[in-house]
Amino acid sequence: DNAGSAPFEAARPEIEALRDELANAGNTKLTHVPEAGGAPDLAEWRAIMAPHVDAGDTWLSAPWAVTEFYVYRRIAALLRYFQNGFDPFSKAKRAGLESAVGSL
């Protein structure tokens, strides 16, 4: 749970807006990754998303793999991952790795 962490609380309005987009996924058109999150991959993401943004694709009409990766990239942007290194999934990643160590 990341509630209460400074990066999460700073991004709360943007996270809630993303949640609203996903709640209305069939009617919400995809947009480009926000520049505010800054990142070395911004140009790549603009190229990836351009066909879908230009076509007016929604979260449900675009290919699943595109939207799957896109939602995680949007979360990274909202939390300013490339500026502060905050990874909201670090606890889950660590738990998954620790649970797999015995089987490696």
Side-chain angles (χ1 to χ4, degrees), residues 1-99:
D1 185 23
N2 293 297
S5 67
F8 184 86
E9 293 305 321
R12 184 176 289 276
E14 295 169 294
I15 292 168
E16 289 175 358
L18 178 59
R19 182 190 62 209
D20 292 345
E21 283 184 38
L22 295 171
N24 194 25
N27 296 313
T28 303
K29 293 183 180 183
L30 297 174
T31 60
H32 286 289
V33 172
E35 291 185 30
D41 66 348
L42 195 55
E44 287 177 276
W45 271 100
R46 289 216 169 256
I48 291 167
M49 294 306 298
H52 308 291
V53 171
D54 294 347
D57 283 344
T58 68
W59 283 93
L60 297 182
S61 66
W64 175 82
V66 170
T67 58
E68 175 76 6
F69 289 118
Y70 173 69
V71 73
Y72 287 109
R73 183 57 185 81
R74 284 276 305 275
I75 291 168
L78 300 177
L79 293 171
R80 309 301 192 262
Y81 171 78
F82 293 99
Q83 295 166 336
N84 62 28
F86 178 71
D87 180 358
F89 305 106
S90 64
K91 291 177 187 174
K93 290 177 189 176
R94 190 175 311 112
L97 180 60
E98 289 171 1
S99 70

